[in-house]
Amino acid sequence: MATNIGIMDAAYFVGRSEILSWINSTLQLNLSKVEEACSGAVHCQLLGAAHPGIVPMHKVNFDAKSEYEMIQNYKVLQDVFNKLKITKHIEVSKLVKGRPLDNLEFMQWMKRYCDSVNSGLQHNYNPLERREVSKGGRETSKKSANSQASTKGSTAQRPQSSHNSRRNEVSNANPTNQAAKVARAAPSAGNPAYEEKITELKLSIDSLEKERDFYFAKLRDIEILCQTPEIEHSPIVAAIQKILYATDDNGTAVAEAQAMISVGRKEIEGLSPIAEVSEEKSSSETHKRKNIANIDFDVAGLATLSPRQRLSDVSDVHCSESPLMTC
C-alpha cells in the first residue's frame, strides 16, 4: 500500500482525462475539470470508497464554496489519514485555491493510493447513497444526473443535425449562405481542443510559478543571512549583496563583486604587520605591569615590619656588603 510515493513515480504521469474518467466512474459524477474537486469533498468520498465506512460522510460538505468551508472538508480528510496512518502531507492552502497543477498532482496521488487498496475495486459501494447524508450531496447527484442526460441527448441528436446541415448545404450552395455559415461556425469557444490547450497552458503557468517561488525563497534566505550583524560588514557579504541587488543583466555585477573581494583581501593582508606590532606592545606593557606590581609588593612588605626587624635587615645588608666586617 503506497502512502508516500516519489515525484518520478508513474502515478504522476497519469493524464488529466484518465483522472477525470476514474473520478466520474467511481463516484458517478460528471466533472469536466480536476480543479472542480478542490473543495475536498470528492477526496473524502474517494477515500470512503476505498475504505467503506471509515469516512464520516455526514461531516462532508459537497456545497462548500468558501475557503473556510473547504478547509472543514480537508480536516475530515486529515482525520481519516491519521486513522489509516497515512503520512501524506495535504497542502490545503494550495488546493483550496483551485490551481490546476496542485489539484492534479494530489488527485494523481489519490488514484495511486486507491488503486493500491484492493486493486482499486470497490465492492458493493453505492456512491449516490453514501452522498445522500452529506450536505449538498443530493444536489450534486442531481446535477451530475442531469448533465449526463443532456450529454447523451446531444450525442443522439448529433447524427440527425449533421445530416440536416449537409442537406441544407446542398440546397443553399451560394456564396452568401456559405459566408454566413462560416461566421456562425467561427465562435467555437466550447471546442474541446481549445479547452485542452487552455488547461495545458494553465498547468505550464502553475509549474513556472512554483519554480519562481522556490528560487525566490532561496534568495530571500541568502539575503537574511547577509544581514547577520556578525558578518554584514565583511567584503564577501558586500559582494553577494552587490549581485542580489543588481538591476541590470549585463554581467557587470559579478565582475564588480569579484573586485570587491580582491580589494578586501588586500586590505586584510596590509593590516597583518600592524597587528603583530600591537601584539608586541601589549606583551611589553604586560611585563612592565608585573614588575611594578612586584615593587609595590616589596614596599608594602617593608611597611609592615617593626623597627627592630628593619635595623636587623639593614645590618645584614652592611655585613654582606663589606668583606672585612664580621657580624
Side-chain angles (χ1 to χ4, degrees):
M1 186 182 300
T3 57
N4 281 325
I5 58 178
I7 193 65
M8 297 305 295
D9 191 273
Y12 289 110
F13 294 93
V14 179
R16 183 180 65 92
S17 301
E18 184 177 349
I19 293 291
L20 287 173
S21 177
W22 169 69
I23 296 173
N24 293 332
S25 61
T26 303
L27 303 183
Q28 296 184 21
L29 294 172
N30 192 29
L31 302 182
S32 59
K33 298 179 181 179
V34 178
E35 54 267 29
E36 292 179 7
C38 65
S39 67
V42 173
H43 302 89
C44 291
Q45 191 169 13
L46 286 172
L47 200 60
H51 300 278
I54 197 170
V55 179
M57 292 300 296
H58 64 280
K59 295 182 179 180
V60 179
N61 184 5
F62 277 88
D63 195 30
K65 296 293 188 299
S66 64
E67 291 188 6
Y68 173 78
E69 294 174 333
M70 295 178 185
I71 290 173
Q72 303 308 311
N73 287 336
Y74 284 106
K75 286 183 178 180
V76 176
L77 185 65
Q78 185 64 62
D79 290 340
V80 179
F81 273 24
N82 295 337
K83 291 179 183 178
L84 298 173
K85 297 181 179 180
I86 299 175
T87 58
K88 170 69 175 176
H89 176 64
I90 306 175
E91 296 183 346
V92 179
S93 59
K94 295 182 179 180
L95 295 175
V96 296
K97 300 296 183 182
R99 298 172 63 174
L101 182 61
D102 295 322
N103 282 272
L104 177 61
E105 288 180 355
F106 190 66
M107 196 59 76
Q108 287 170 335
W109 180 90
M110 287 290 299
K111 186 179 187 304
R112 176 73 172 82
Y113 176 80
C114 293
D115 288 345
S116 66
V117 179
N118 300 324
S119 300
L121 300 176
Q122 291 85 29
H123 301 285
N124 300 325
Y125 182 78
N126 188 342
L128 299 178
E129 182 180 350
R130 292 293 299 156
R131 207 157 46 232
E132 288 287 327
V133 298
S134 302
K135 182 180 179 180
R138 185 174 301 176
E139 290 76 8
T140 302
S141 300
K142 288 181 180 179
K143 290 179 182 178
S144 301
N146 294 334
S147 55
Q148 289 176 359
S150 62
T151 303
K152 291 180 180 179
S154 61
T155 305
Q157 293 176 1
R158 192 174 298 164
Q160 183 67 24
S161 61
S162 61
H163 176 71
N164 293 335
S165 62
R166 285 195 298 271
R167 185 172 58 186
N168 292 332
E169 288 176 1
V170 172
S171 60
N172 300 318
N174 59 73
T176 305
N177 291 334
Q178 289 179 359
K181 289 173 184 176
V182 171
R184 286 195 300 269
S188 56
N191 193 334
Y194 288 132
E195 293 181 356
E196 185 74 20
K197 186 65 176 177
I198 291 172
T199 303
E200 291 178 0
L201 292 174
K202 287 182 178 180
L203 293 175
S204 178
I205 292 172
D206 288 342
S207 178
L208 292 173
E209 287 180 350
K210 290 179 70 175
E211 185 176 2
R212 177 203 63 190
D213 296 341
F214 173 79
Y215 286 111
F216 179 80
K218 293 293 183 184
L219 292 174
R220 178 58 181 155
D221 292 340
I222 295 172
E223 184 182 32
I224 293 173
L225 180 63
C226 291
Q227 294 173 354
T228 306
E230 291 80 2
I231 62 172
E232 63 177 345
H233 298 297
S234 63
I236 185 66
V237 172
I240 293 172
Q241 290 176 338
K242 183 70 176 178
I243 298 175
L244 283 177
Y245 301 141
T247 57
D248 52 1
D249 195 20
N250 53 10
T252 59
V254 177
E256 293 176 0
Q258 291 174 347
M260 293 171 65
I261 294 175
S262 62
V263 171
R265 188 182 301 137
K266 290 179 180 179
E267 291 178 354
I268 293 173
E269 292 175 354
L271 290 174
S272 57
I274 299 175
E276 293 177 357
V277 172
S278 63
E279 289 179 359
E280 293 178 357
K281 288 183 178 179
S282 62
S283 61
S284 62
E285 289 177 358
T286 304
H287 184 68
K288 289 179 180 179
R289 292 194 191 98
K290 288 182 179 179
N291 294 334
I292 294 172
N294 292 332
I295 295 172
D296 292 340
F297 178 76
D298 293 338
V299 172
L302 291 173
T304 56
L305 294 176
S306 62
R308 182 176 298 176
Q309 287 175 337
R310 292 177 186 172
L311 290 174
S312 64
D313 289 341
V314 170
S315 62
D316 291 340
V317 171
H318 287 301
C319 291
S320 62
E321 288 178 352
S322 176
L324 298 177
M325 296 180 65
T326 59
C327 300

